Amino acid sequence: MTAERVNPPDLSPPAGFSHAVVATGSRLVFLAGQTALDRDGRITGTTLPEQFARALDNLLTALRAVGGTPAGLARVTVYATDVAGYRAHAAELGRIWRRSAGRDYPAMAVVEVVRLWDEQALVELDGFAVLP
């Protein structure tokens, strides 16, 4: 799989995402929304950074289960119950992302939602990846 990150100079400089990702490969993987659920189906963590770390780990676990790596992520959508809180923790969330997924950022969006399926969930991540 090759992924070309494209960040046109006519757009604002990206921070923690890529404006566009051109992915070439043979398998497209759609990743279901992941929250901070543990293997017993319980939400773990009470803070946004704790839940973000678990949700990201869950997303990457699903990706690795099909032979993918974080570099193969082409698109991730973050659903947050509090975008202002997300922005307030942006630096810490960026560190969590880099520690778990590296610096090959996918195209991303953050969307505020009223609530998620699990009432205790503060954040959910879904996306798709391209594999060789």
Side-chain angles (χ1 to χ4, degrees):
M1 192 278 308
T2 62
E4 175 189 1
R5 271 76 177 163
V6 179
N7 294 298
D10 293 342
L11 297 177
S12 65
F17 69 96
S18 294
H19 284 290
V21 176
V22 179
T24 305
S26 62
R27 294 174 58 205
L28 189 59
V29 178
F30 294 89
L31 298 162
Q34 298 293 326
T35 60
L37 288 176
D38 64 13
R39 66 181 313 155
D40 295 321
R42 291 186 296 260
I43 294 291
T44 61
T46 57
T47 68
L48 180 60
E50 290 170 335
Q51 288 197 16
F52 181 87
R54 181 60 186 252
L56 178 58
D57 286 346
N58 289 347
L59 188 78
L60 296 176
T61 296
L63 178 59
R64 288 183 180 108
V66 297
T69 67
L73 286 169
R75 172 85 172 143
V76 170
T77 302
V78 178
Y79 303 93
T81 59
D82 178 9
V83 168
Y86 188 94
R87 289 177 64 93
H89 290 286
E92 185 175 1
L93 299 176
R95 286 190 294 275
I96 292 167
W97 180 276
R98 288 186 298 278
R99 183 179 65 237
S100 296
R103 292 184 177 273
D104 291 326
Y105 298 112
M108 294 182 74
V110 177
V111 179
E112 185 170 86
V113 295
V114 173
R115 71 173 287 256
L116 296 163
W117 182 263
D118 295 294
E119 289 186 27
Q120 302 86 1
L122 303 174
V123 65
E124 182 171 330
L125 288 81
D126 75 5
F128 67 87
V130 178
L131 282 60

